[in-house]
Amino acid sequence: MTTNRPRERTMPLAQEARLFALLIEGALISDDGDANRTSERSGGLRELWTALEPEVRRHLLLFAAWPLRSAPWPDADGPAERYAAELARFAAQWAAEHPGASWAAFCSVPHPAFSLASSLAFDRENLEVSWSTAVFLLARSARTTQAGE
């Protein structure tokens, strides 16, 4: 017998997303910041990504895009990199339209980045793209922080 009751939250959405981001950042450190290698090698984290609630995946994508709102983005090679660049561009646009707004507000109200992140996070058929997008965002954020951009 199965029950389809919603899972009770054990921690706030933002905390769960940030905790998972820290796990990805740890994998990136182990892979010398190589997003492609982390995306391909981190099978255990990729499996956890598929088990996360879509709302957590969306929040992580938005959370990871926020620090990149003022960073230059190199040419994108594949779909995940293009989505990451687009999320960062949308974050910049939203920040310009809402001066002084916080990342928490950016992660919680509807706007183009929210819609794109939702599309990626809720697509059960192609979670590989949302996984790789999250890894690319966090890798770029780490490189941007190290470079002082």
Side-chain angles (χ1 to χ4, degrees):
M1 179 169 114
T2 62
T3 59
N4 290 329
R5 287 186 277 158
R7 178 180 83 115
E8 291 184 31
R9 296 213 61 77
T10 55
M11 70 176 66
L13 187 71
Q15 278 185 307
E16 194 170 343
R18 182 61 187 135
L19 177 62
F20 202 79
L22 288 171
L23 293 172
I24 295 172
E25 289 167 350
L28 282 163
I29 289 169
S30 296
D31 291 331
D32 296 323
D34 185 332
N36 287 315
R37 192 171 1 154
T38 299
S39 184
E40 293 168 8
R41 285 183 353 123
S42 298
L45 284 179
R46 191 171 40 238
E47 286 178 28
L48 284 174
W49 179 258
T50 64
L52 288 174
E53 292 175 88
E55 294 84 1
V56 175
R57 290 192 297 263
R58 175 183 58 213
H59 197 91
L60 189 147
L61 288 165
L62 293 169
F63 169 81
W66 183 249
L68 298 170
R69 65 193 180 282
S70 59
W73 196 274
D75 290 334
D77 290 329
E81 289 179 78
R82 284 193 298 276
Y83 284 129
E86 193 70 4
L87 285 167
R89 188 182 67 76
F90 281 145
Q93 179 182 355
W94 192 85
E97 293 169 0
H98 301 86
S102 68
W103 69 267
F106 175 70
C107 293
S108 62
V109 298
H111 48 72
F114 191 91
S115 297
L116 177 56
S118 293
S119 177
L120 289 167
F122 282 81
D123 182 2
R124 297 286 308 162
E125 299 299 317
N126 199 4
L127 286 175
E128 188 64 35
V129 173
S130 64
W131 158 252
S132 295
T133 301
V135 173
F136 281 113
L137 284 166
L138 292 166
R140 180 71 181 142
S141 184
R143 284 192 304 273
T144 300
T145 301
Q146 289 172 352
E149 295 176 12

